[in-house]
Amino acid sequence: MKLRPLVLVVGAALSVTLVAGCGGSSSGGASSSAPVAAAPSKAASMVAGESVAAIKKATSGRVAVTQTGSASSSSGASVPTTTSVEGQFDDSNYQLANSYAGGASLNVLIVDQKGYVKGNVTYWTGVGLPNDDATAISQKWAQGNSTRPEAFAEYSPSKVRDQLVSDLNATTFTSSDSITVDNKAAYRLQSATGTQLVIDAETMLPSAMKSQNKTYDMSQWNPVSAKVAPPTSQVTTG
């Protein structure tokens, strides 16, 4: 009995809200969003340093790296042109996707100290499997001695993060601008050689970096969802 008046109050408040939101003008009463406050003015070197510190404190994230220009054409078939890794920076749980010149691709899952790989037909024929075998294995995740986590350490989250930090530390940014990205304040840094870096002004974590031979896409930080092992029906062992 005591709940009924509360329901009526909520209903009345909702009615008032709906009426107020309708507006009285014939144009529909559309309202504009509040402007985004500009990021505080800081020297480029200070912004870059704070971003490196924020990256080192991050516990998880998603970082994609694409080789461009001469780096892409000279990488060779065994070196990925794009690496995308998402997971924990202690390398305990993550998903990796590598794309190679010629159309080959390889996905890797690291869960509970086990590694699972899933390549497309082009990848498996490229490592020597007959086409029929490559077609069959491309439908499942493979798991065995050759898929242990250490086999993919070169492309683990911590390694990709460390490479990002190394690239940032090796770049001298000379200008810093306040911009808006996805309706949030951000910094855009630029070097004399044209490298650009975009950093969220609140978290100081970067979202994108582009140089003459490499592009980083950092779409997610702290936290990313935990990865789970594929169902046993989708795994082949050997």
Side-chain angles (χ1 to χ4, degrees):
M1 294 295 293
K2 292 183 179 180
L3 291 178
R4 187 173 180 82
L6 291 176
V7 173
L8 292 175
V9 170
V10 171
L14 180 59
S15 298
V16 172
T17 302
L18 290 174
V19 171
C22 288
S25 68
S26 59
S27 62
S31 60
S32 59
S33 59
V36 177
S41 178
K42 294 181 182 180
S45 59
M46 179 180 294
V47 175
E50 291 181 13
S51 184
V52 167
I55 293 170
K56 290 181 177 180
K57 290 180 181 179
T59 58
S60 63
R62 178 189 178 276
V63 181
V65 191
T66 300
Q67 305 291 334
T68 58
S70 59
S72 175
S73 60
S74 63
S75 62
S78 62
V79 178
T81 55
T82 298
T83 291
S84 176
V85 64
E86 177 180 315
Q88 305 300 311
F89 287 132
D90 63 3
D91 300 339
S92 62
N93 180 280
Y94 67 90
Q95 183 166 5
L96 165 70
N98 279 347
S99 298
Y100 303 83
S105 64
L106 179 69
N107 289 282
V108 178
L109 272 173
I110 303 297
V111 180
D112 295 332
Q113 299 182 344
K114 292 182 179 180
Y116 306 84
V117 302
K118 190 174 187 179
N120 64 0
V121 174
T122 303
Y123 176 84
W124 290 117
T125 55
V127 298
L129 288 184
N131 189 72
D132 288 348
D133 292 343
T135 300
I137 197 172
S138 69
Q139 306 301 314
K140 292 195 173 188
W141 291 90
Q143 193 267 321
N145 289 333
S146 62
T147 68
R148 294 189 303 271
E150 53 265 32
F152 310 100
E154 182 180 359
Y155 304 108
S156 67
S158 67
K159 288 292 186 182
V160 175
R161 176 203 57 193
D162 291 348
Q163 184 59 57
L164 169 62
V165 169
S166 177
D167 287 347
L168 284 175
N169 286 333
T171 304
T172 301
F173 292 101
T174 56
S175 66
S176 172
D177 298 316
S178 295
I179 62 172
T180 300
V181 177
D182 294 333
N183 207 36
K184 296 178 66 178
Y187 293 101
R188 180 177 59 209
L189 307 186
Q190 186 161 321
S191 74
T193 58
T195 297
Q196 290 192 358
L197 175 67
V198 177
I199 300 170
D200 183 280
E202 180 180 358
T203 65
M204 296 308 294
L205 288 165
S207 60
M209 179 176 173
K210 184 175 183 180
S211 66
Q212 293 178 344
N213 58 12
K214 191 181 296 183
T215 298
Y216 284 96
D217 175 15
M218 298 148 282
S219 60
Q220 192 173 355
W221 297 94
N222 293 338
V224 298
S225 59
K227 311 308 171 189
V228 298
T232 54
S233 61
Q234 297 180 17
V235 177
T236 179
T237 58

